[in-house]
């Protein structure tokens, strides 16, 4: 018997059955960056992501966390991780939709843009499984430092078949890759790595040492940094050797993490572990950086995706929830908050897709785009990833107390939000990397300036900010000012993109607040007169 004390009213319906890709900022950028041909597939993926079943996969993969199995019942070491079936469903969609390595085997111009848009869309369902998906995408350019290894493994890394389980790589229909750089004594400063690599008579190496973070340890292949006789070197470590026997990859623990809980992050030990050198001895950082650059791109896309996922929940809630005599979405102050979040999210989306376009054109031989991407990815990695926790926190508050409760999905988005800024170059390290790139590759600054100059004359506030940036870059004490400089570079770049491509209301609100200084210290402080109606309408989930 139920005690009927009240009716349930004024609670929004679940946001389900919508198309995650019905996002004007995303679809316009997709066409602009040369992948308009992918729109139908993107909407198909977006609709799949909006279904209740996909949402359930995301929820279950996080509630039923991966479990480490060190030994089998007889006491043999197995070092495997057991995932909930929903994790495998998510992975299967991601790989079969081409979000892992497939873009590298796709000759169509715009393939990397289409893939980034897919990652942005599908990442809204669940962010944790994007980690191995992203590393599998990112490993390809680094592996190409060794033609024989690339020849053997690239066709499987670019496959659209998700084939889980530890078996000899050559016997599988698709492979996944991870990376092992970080050790206990130093992550950012990989020169402090102590894992050793000893040459063997057959041309392979034997690794001995440990890694403090190695995510997705059920991947088939890993790029690992270790100290060879001539210095820090990049190695390929398969979990299963070509003859079908297990390589030594002893998983000591899985991390008990703030978020990213569907994904396993491990502490492996290597002992007589067989490894193949990738690139020259002593050039490990130079080799693996080609992987890191691509995972950084995905950090930007992933952060934009996390913002969008939170924003649509906030807009949906405000549309269906009333307080003080009317829907929240009609309240001027709530409109300011939602519009401000929408502007931030659109700026992140436009930038992420612009970077994917630069990668796409770069791999097809456009040197200026390659130079632009080298600098702009690092700038965006610092800035967009830093914005994600702020955006998600504010979107969560739009749901009031409901947003603080697990069922709403916002707590998961909130726990996941800081991660993109930490891994693959934490904030300070990322900002310092930008300074290094400016110093070493003046061509990349020229490409960055050309991108901003393409918007010159369209908005006075943007022009003034661009001029101010030039002064900052020539200033003294650059290291302590790195965050200021890189943050400014990012908003100038975002402003230039929005002024050229976004509706006037978006570009104007961005330039007034982010560049013109007419803004407060929290979201919801756009100046009076900002076109909040147009901004919210554009952000509305379909
Ligand atoms: C969930 C998760 C999964 C991960 N998965 C992987 C993985 O699969 N493979 C892998 O190799 N690593 C992985 N990592 C590790 C991650 O890449 C590192 O944690 C990160 O690079 C930072 O390194 P660190 O933890 O050693 O911190 P540190 O390098 O000690 O840095 C600590 C802080 O100091 C700052 N700092 C460092 N140097 C300077 C400086 N010169 N000036 C100013 N500030 C500075 C940093 O920005 C940071 O804020 C993972 C981490 C997490 C949280």
């Amino acid at each position: 018997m139920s005690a009927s004390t009240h009716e349930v009213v004024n609670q929004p319906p679940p946001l389900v059955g919508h198309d995650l890709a019905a996002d004007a900022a995303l679809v316009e950028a997709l066409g602009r960056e040369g992948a308009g041909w992918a729109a139908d597939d993107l909407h198909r993926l977006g609709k799949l992501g909006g279904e209740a079943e996909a949402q359930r996969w995301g929820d279950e993969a996080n509630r039923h966390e991966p479990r480490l199995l060190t030994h089998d019942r007889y006491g043999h070491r197995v070092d495997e991780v057991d995932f909930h079936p929903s994790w495998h469903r998510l992975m299967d969609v991601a790989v079969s939709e081409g979000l892992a390595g497939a873009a590298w085997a796709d000759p169509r111009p715009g393939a990397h843009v289409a893939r980034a848009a897919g990652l942005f869309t599908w990442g809204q369902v669940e962010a944790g499984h994007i980690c191995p998906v992203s590393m599998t995408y990112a490993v390809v350019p680094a592996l190409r430092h060794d033609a024989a290894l690339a020849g053997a493994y690239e066709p499987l890394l670019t496959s659209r078949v998700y084939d889980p389980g530890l078996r000899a790589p050559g016997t599988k229909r698709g492979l996944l890759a991870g990376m092992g750089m970080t050790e206990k004594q130093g992550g950012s400063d990989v020169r402090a790595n102590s894992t050793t690599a000893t040459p063997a008579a057959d041309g392979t190496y034997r690794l001995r040492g440990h890694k403090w973070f190695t995510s997705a340890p059920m991947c088939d292949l890993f790029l690992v940094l270790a100290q060879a006789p001539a210095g820090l070197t990049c190695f390929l470590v398969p979990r299963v050797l070509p003859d079908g026997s297990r390589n030594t990859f002893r998983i000591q623990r899985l991390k008990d993490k703030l978020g990213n809980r569907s994904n396993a992050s491990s502490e492996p030990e290597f002992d007589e572990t067989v490894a193949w050198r990738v690139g020259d001895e002593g050039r490990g950082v130079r080799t693996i950086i080609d992987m890191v650059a691509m995972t950084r791109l995905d950090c930007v896309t992933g952060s934009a995706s996390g913002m969008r996922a939170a924003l649509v929940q906030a807009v949906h809630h405000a549309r269906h929830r009333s307080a003080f005599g009317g829907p929240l979405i009609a309240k001027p102050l709530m409109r300011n908050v939602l519009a401000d979040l929408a502007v931030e999210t659109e700026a992140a989306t436009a930038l992420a897709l612009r970077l994917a376009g630069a990668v796409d054109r770069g791999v097809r031989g456009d040197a200026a785009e390659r130079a632009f991407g080298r600098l702009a990815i690092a700038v965006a990695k610092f800035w967009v990833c830093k914005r994600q926790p702020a955006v998600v926190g504010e979107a969560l508050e739009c749901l009031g107390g409901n947003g603080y409760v697990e069922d709403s999905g916002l707590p998961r988005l909130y726990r996941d939000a800081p991660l993109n800024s930490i891994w693959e170059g934490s904030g300070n390290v990322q900002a310092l990397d930008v300074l290094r790139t400016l110093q070493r590759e003046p061509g990349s600054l020229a490409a960055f300036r050309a991108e901003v100059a393409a918007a010159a004359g369209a908005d006075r506030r943007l022009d003034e900010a661009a001029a101010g940036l030039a002064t900052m870059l020539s200033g003294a004490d650059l290291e302590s000012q790195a965050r200021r400089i890189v943050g400014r570079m990012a908003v100038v770049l975002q402003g230039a993109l929005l002024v050229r491509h976004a509706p006037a209301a978006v570009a104007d609100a961005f330039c007034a607040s982010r560049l013109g200084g007419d803004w407060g210290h929290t979201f919801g402080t756009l100046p009076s007169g900002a076109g909040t109606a147009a901004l919210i309408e554009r952000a509305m989930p379909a």
Side-chain angles (χ1 to χ4, degrees):
M1 297 212 358
S2 64
S4 177
T5 60
H6 62 286
E7 269 183 69
V8 178
V9 293
N10 198 22
Q11 289 282 357
L15 179 55
V16 69
H18 58 308
D19 174 4
L20 302 182
D23 170 354
L26 174 69
V27 173
E28 289 167 19
L30 183 79
R32 198 161 66 229
E33 299 299 337
W37 49 265
D40 288 348
D41 278 344
L42 188 65
H43 286 298
R44 189 179 40 72
L45 183 61
K47 285 178 188 150
L48 177 63
E51 283 177 11
E53 187 180 26
Q55 294 184 19
R56 180 172 57 73
W57 295 340
D59 182 58
E60 287 179 349
N62 281 275
R63 282 186 200 271
H64 306 280
E65 294 178 15
R67 206 162 52 94
L68 174 62
L69 307 170
T70 53
H71 296 78
D72 70 9
R73 59 188 285 203
Y74 304 106
H76 307 112
R77 267 206 96 107
V78 291
D79 299 292
E80 295 201 17
V81 179
D82 186 32
F83 289 90
H84 190 270
S86 287
W87 164 271
H88 294 295
R89 304 300 298 273
L90 292 163
M91 288 295 298
D92 191 26
V93 172
V95 176
S96 63
E97 293 289 336
L99 308 184
W104 298 104
D106 189 339
R108 288 173 293 184
H112 292 266
V113 177
R115 183 246 166 209
L119 198 83
F120 175 96
T121 300
W122 189 245
Q124 292 176 51
V125 176
E126 205 283 317
H129 77 291
I130 298 299
C131 169
V133 171
S134 170
M135 291 193 291
T136 303
Y137 170 69
V139 78
V140 172
L143 201 58
R144 286 180 179 174
H145 285 268
D146 187 295
L149 293 175
Y153 296 121
E154 192 173 318
L156 294 166
L157 291 163
T158 56
S159 153
R160 286 178 179 244
V161 179
Y162 175 55
D163 189 1
L166 295 182
R167 301 194 304 284
T171 67
K172 296 186 72 174
R173 292 182 301 148
L175 299 178
L176 297 174
M179 56 163 52
M181 298 190 292
T182 310
E183 297 188 359
K184 295 187 181 73
Q185 69 280 3
S188 313
D189 189 2
V190 289
R191 293 167 309 178
N193 272 197
S194 64
T195 297
T196 56
T198 307
D202 64 357
T204 60
Y205 289 73
R206 297 294 176 268
L207 304 192
R208 183 178 167 77
H210 77 287
K211 294 292 163 184
W212 184 228
F213 279 96
T214 297
S215 288
M218 288 302 283
C219 287
D220 302 284
L221 307 171
F222 290 81
L223 285 193
V224 171
L225 290 179
Q227 302 286 358
L232 196 64
T233 304
C234 180
F235 293 94
L236 182 79
V237 174
R239 288 225 46 196
V240 180
L241 294 168
D243 67 3
S245 61
R246 290 282 171 97
N247 207 0
T248 306
F249 194 104
R250 279 188 217 120
I251 302 176
Q252 304 301 329
R253 271 198 299 189
L254 297 185
K255 300 289 193 188
D256 183 8
K257 297 174 288 186
L258 166 67
N260 188 250
R261 298 189 78 93
S262 65
N263 182 30
S265 297
S266 72
E267 298 171 15
E269 276 189 10
F270 306 125
D271 191 4
E272 286 292 301
T273 300
V274 184
W276 280 258
R277 179 166 52 77
V278 184
D280 294 335
E281 270 197 23
R283 303 271 292 164
V285 173
R286 183 60 212 95
T287 305
I288 209 165
I289 200 74
D290 288 338
M291 180 173 188
V292 172
M294 293 300 99
T295 52
R296 285 178 175 175
L297 168 71
D298 283 359
C299 287
V300 178
T301 311
S303 284
S305 167
M307 291 184 207
R308 173 74 189 168
L311 171 68
V312 295
Q313 293 291 344
V315 173
H316 174 76
H317 185 90
R319 197 180 182 188
H320 293 279
R321 174 86 170 177
S322 290
F324 300 100
L328 286 173
I329 204 159
K331 308 287 179 192
L333 186 51
M334 181 57 96
R335 296 178 73 73
N336 197 327
V337 173
L338 294 172
D340 212 354
L341 293 173
V343 168
E344 192 70 33
T345 304
E346 174 147 359
T349 307
L351 182 51
L353 272 279
R354 173 67 185 90
L355 299 176
V359 168
D360 196 85
R361 290 181 282 276
V363 299
R364 287 169 222 289
D366 186 328
E369 284 289 272
R370 250 202 321 268
F372 171 73
R374 270 199 294 277
L375 182 60
I377 289 174
V379 167
K381 161 72 167 80
F382 169 74
W383 183 251
V384 174
C385 299
K386 277 266 166 267
R387 302 303 290 151
Q388 186 186 0
V391 167
V392 176
E394 197 64 62
L396 182 153
E397 190 171 326
C398 291
L399 277 72
N402 285 350
Y404 204 72
V405 174
E406 283 294 333
D407 293 345
S408 73
L410 269 298
R412 167 149 61 91
L413 292 176
Y414 190 68
R415 285 193 298 269
D416 285 347
L419 182 53
N420 282 323
S421 184
I422 294 172
W423 61 13
E424 306 298 335
S426 304
N428 289 352
V429 168
Q430 198 58 43
L432 294 173
D433 257 17
V434 171
L435 294 189
R436 245 187 313 277
T437 305
L438 287 170
Q439 210 174 34
R440 287 185 191 160
E441 301 190 37
S444 67
L445 180 58
F448 180 93
R449 284 194 167 131
E451 179 78 15
V452 174
D459 189 291
R460 178 189 46 79
R461 296 155 301 193
L462 174 60
D463 292 344
E464 286 173 7
L469 185 57
T471 313
M472 284 171 98
L473 285 169
S474 58
D477 194 19
L478 291 183
E479 185 167 338
S480 83
Q481 298 305 298
R483 281 183 178 230
R484 267 180 99 117
I485 294 168
V486 179
R488 200 66 180 160
M489 289 176 79
V491 288
V492 166
L493 184 54
Q494 289 181 321
L497 286 171
L498 296 181
V499 160
R500 285 169 67 203
H501 305 301
V506 178
D508 187 56
F510 186 90
C511 290
S513 54
R514 277 71 169 170
L515 300 174
D518 196 358
W519 203 25
H521 293 285
T522 62
F523 286 108
T525 54
L526 289 176
S528 159
T532 55
L535 297 173
I536 296 169
E537 185 56 36
R538 188 167 161 81
M540 199 73 86

